[in-house]
Amino acid sequence: MGAEGTGPNVAASNGHLVVLDKVTKSFGATTVLTEIDLAVSKGEAIVVAGPSGSGKSTMLRCINALETIDSGEIFFDGKAISAAGKGIYRLRAEIGMVFQQFNLFPHKSVLQNITLGPTEIRELSRKDAEDRARKLLERVGIPEKADAYPVDLSGGQQQRVAIARALAMEPKLMLFDEPTSALDPEMIREVLDVMRDLARSGMTMIVVTHEMGFAREVCDRLVFIDEGAIVEQGPPEEFFKSAQSERARDFVDKIIHH
Amino acid sequence: MQLWQVLIDNFPRFRDGFLVTCQLVGVSFVIALGVGLVIAGLRVQPLRSLKWVGAVYVEFFRNIPLLVLLFISFAGLRRAGINIGAFAAGTGALGLYTAAYVAETVRSGVFAVGRGQVEASLSIGFTYPQTLRRVVLPQAVRTVIPPLGNITIAMIKNSAIIGAVLAIAQDILKEARLINARTFQTNEVFFWAAIGYLILTVTATVAVRYLERRLVIRR
Ligand SMILES: Nc1ncnc2c1ncn2[C@@H]1O[C@H](COP(=O)(O)OP(=O)(O)OP(=O)(O)O)[C@@H](O)[C@H]1O
Ligand SMILES: [Mg+2]
């Protein structure tokens, strides 16, 4: 199931949207990712799991070039990210990212949060952008919050606005970095429901989460990372039942028994 | 009443002086805010050389007395064959001087904007300059409205130095000195001059309060 030998051409022909090819990343003397190989097909939803500090966030951040990698290559839609140069900004617009801390713009209303990108980058008219934003708010279940400010929303609502903001750019790929970890338990469901619908609509998604119910129900594949390396990957159900490595079994035990 | 008589007798001069001070302050304010924002931008963007330009600007204008700047901008430039006139020299010097303080204040506001905001903006597809302009600076400026208000009030008061130095800027202070030279009613004349400045500084204070209420970011 690995991504061995997937060069850019192979990536394109196999319908892979994202390919990580021996990606290595260090901060100073600490190597955080070691020769990561990973290929994600169009329309696939994968969950990335692993202990704290294993490099999950760093991997996501490398994919949309918030971090630069030391060696290897990342291909998005057949193009090498390191070769994008100034095009990196256009590329990022194709990749939506949802953060643990929501990171909504506090000085802008919900509607403005969602229309900012489309009007400035996609050069949509204000009206078209607002129509799109209202449809997205409908989709994430909070159409009545268009004129509210982030501070007026619950965490779950803020995260749904953040998802709508990312979707407004019509991305080809959505990255989620522990989108429910900062939420009170009663709000986790509403965010996961939105993500599940998104996955079912065919969006390609890479989701870092500890929500194993979500992984089981929604995701095609689970990728287990430990100490900066992919230890194993496969269908979530199989992973829970019969993880091969000891570290993965430990992880499953902890997740299930806590 | 002596006090009122002085005002009534010299009202046209007081009024003209007040209007000139308004213009000095208005133009200096625009320069200070515009240049200050640009310099703050230079100081927080990633390129080292541009950062350095911003730092040199701030240190230069913060560490030279305004009075010296005024002499340079007016007499100095004129001696060098560049005559920009008293008004431009005065507002230029006061605006650029104040801009250094604006830049430092806005910069502190920028650092108060979280890293997550920048990353959210970049991940939408904004460039660094767009991120600065659309996401970071608007938040930074909002958080520093109160200190910017203090800088503005200091600038209004500093504008009196222009009238004290430059021969042809007929601001409140200059008019007051002229009236005083004629009438010798020193206390009354400068009382009204002080009132003129108070009108401006109190207006600025009220405006800052209003902006604070309107724009403050609830978190
Ligand atoms: N900017 C940085 N500078 C230095 N070290 C960093 C930086 N970002 C992350 N690290 C280190 O890299 C390692 C991996 O971090 P990362 O955030 O990717 O882990 P994670 O798997 O997302 O963990 P968590 O589950 O806690 O979010 C950690 O040891 C972390 O301390
Ligand atoms: Mg993380």
Side-chain angles (χ1 to χ4, degrees):
Chain A
M1 273 210 110
E4 279 92 322
T6 39
N9 301 324
V10 185
S13 62
N14 286 357
H16 287 144
L17 185 61
V18 187
V19 176
L20 279 72
D21 183 17
K22 301 217 177 329
V23 170
T24 298
K25 167 73 185 170
S26 324
F27 291 108
T30 343
T31 303
V32 177
L33 298 176
T34 316
E35 303 212 335
I36 296 266
D37 285 328
L38 179 69
V40 184
S41 306
K42 283 204 173 80
E44 199 181 6
I46 74 168
V47 156
V48 178
S52 180
S54 55
K56 308 179 295 292
S57 298
T58 306
M59 187 175 86
L60 283 196
R61 296 160 55 78
C62 288
I63 292 173
N64 73 351
L66 288 177
E67 305 284 0
T68 50
I69 60 178
D70 299 321
S71 65
E73 188 54 272
I74 298 176
F75 300 94
F76 175 73
D77 213 9
K79 294 179 289 279
I81 285 184
S82 66
K86 289 243 178 255
I88 194 64
Y89 299 110
R90 301 220 135 261
L91 215 138
R92 282 206 195 100
E94 312 269 292
I95 304 177
M97 180 136 186
V98 175
F99 303 86
Q100 183 174 351
Q101 298 299 336
F102 329 134
N103 294 343
L104 292 180
F105 305 133
H107 61 304
K108 299 211 171 281
S109 72
V110 164
L111 204 67
Q112 290 167 335
N113 262 277
I114 304 175
T115 56
L116 189 63
T119 51
E120 294 276 317
I121 296 171
R122 298 278 190 244
E123 288 173 1
L124 239 59
S125 73
R126 175 146 306 283
K127 177 161 186 319
D128 290 349
E130 286 184 359
D131 287 348
R132 183 185 288 182
R134 286 185 201 280
K135 282 206 191 82
L136 285 167
L137 284 174
E138 199 87 47
R139 185 163 165 193
V140 301
I142 38 175
E144 74 282 5
K145 296 294 184 190
D147 298 315
Y149 277 79
V151 70
D152 301 318
L153 305 182
S154 71
Q157 292 170 332
Q158 288 192 52
Q159 195 59 297
R160 287 185 282 161
V161 172
I163 294 172
R165 177 176 69 178
L167 291 177
M169 297 301 289
E170 304 193 314
K172 294 182 175 144
L173 167 71
M174 286 286 285
L175 306 174
F176 294 84
D177 192 358
E178 305 203 25
T180 58
S181 298
L183 297 179
D184 294 336
E186 69 272 19
M187 293 169 189
I188 291 176
R189 191 71 249 167
E190 65 193 43
V191 171
L192 291 181
D193 284 348
V194 168
M195 292 167 60
R196 183 197 57 213
D197 292 348
L198 193 58
R200 299 226 163 119
S201 76
M203 175 64 75
T204 312
M205 297 168 46
I206 303 179
V207 184
V208 174
T209 184
H210 297 301
E211 293 293 333
M212 291 302 131
F214 174 83
R216 220 182 229 129
E217 187 191 353
V218 176
C219 289
D220 307 305
R221 180 156 49 120
L222 187 147
V223 174
F224 178 72
I225 296 189
D226 191 24
E227 292 179 3
I230 295 181
V231 178
E232 56 186 282
Q233 50 182 313
E237 209 55 57
E238 262 172 47
F239 179 81
F240 292 122
K241 266 205 236 105
S242 51
Q244 299 300 302
S245 64
E246 194 170 328
R247 283 184 294 182
R249 276 198 305 277
D250 276 357
F251 180 79
V252 171
D253 284 346
K254 273 199 201 103
I255 289 276
I256 288 174
H257 296 140
H258 89 239
Chain B
M1 273 287 292
Q2 275 280 60
L3 194 58
W4 290 101
Q5 203 56 48
V6 168
L7 179 66
I8 292 161
D9 290 349
N10 301 286
F11 186 73
R13 307 211 71 159
F14 276 121
R15 182 199 57 208
D16 291 350
F18 181 75
L19 291 178
V20 168
T21 292
C22 285
Q23 288 166 8
L24 287 174
V25 164
V27 174
S28 302
F29 180 73
V30 171
I31 295 173
L33 211 56
V35 175
L37 282 175
V38 171
I39 298 298
L42 291 182
R43 297 208 68 181
V44 300
Q45 55 75 52
L47 279 181
R48 208 162 269 230
S49 52
L50 292 179
K51 260 195 173 81
W52 189 79
V53 171
V56 168
Y57 180 97
V58 168
E59 294 313 328
F60 180 83
F61 282 98
R62 248 195 344 188
N63 291 305
I64 294 181
L66 177 56
L67 202 50
V68 174
L69 283 177
L70 280 166
F71 280 124
I72 295 172
S73 71
F74 188 61
L77 286 182
R78 195 173 48 180
R79 194 57 57 81
I82 309 162
N83 194 350
I84 56 175
F87 188 83
T91 52
L94 181 59
L96 294 179
Y97 171 83
T98 309
Y101 292 89
V102 171
E104 279 307 273
T105 305
V106 171
R107 189 172 81 118
S108 72
V110 166
F111 286 129
V113 177
R115 179 84 204 138
Q117 291 290 308
V118 175
E119 294 188 344
S121 173
L122 289 176
S123 75
I124 287 174
F126 283 122
T127 61
Y128 263 106
Q130 283 174 321
T131 296
L132 209 54
R133 197 159 44 84
R134 305 303 311 230
V135 174
V136 177
L137 282 181
Q139 291 183 53
V141 168
R142 280 167 166 84
T143 55
V144 298
I145 283 174
L148 282 184
N150 293 338
I151 291 173
T152 305
I153 286 165
M155 189 193 71
I156 292 169
K157 295 187 290 181
N158 281 338
S159 78
I161 301 178
I162 300 176
V165 181
L166 300 185
I168 43 179
Q170 307 276 53
D171 70 345
I172 299 178
L173 186 72
K174 187 65 187 293
E175 293 288 5
R177 285 163 70 202
L178 292 174
I179 298 166
N180 182 44
R182 235 175 344 95
T183 64
F184 298 110
Q185 288 173 305
T186 308
N187 288 330
E188 290 81 356
V189 169
F190 286 104
F191 171 82
W192 290 115
I195 295 292
Y197 285 106
L198 263 178
I199 292 172
L200 288 176
T201 50
V202 169
T203 305
T205 306
V206 171
V208 167
R209 288 269 159 75
Y210 173 77
L211 282 177
E212 233 185 305
R213 268 203 313 275
R214 278 282 316 271
L215 292 178
V216 83
I217 301 171
R218 293 174 298 132
R219 288 176 202 272

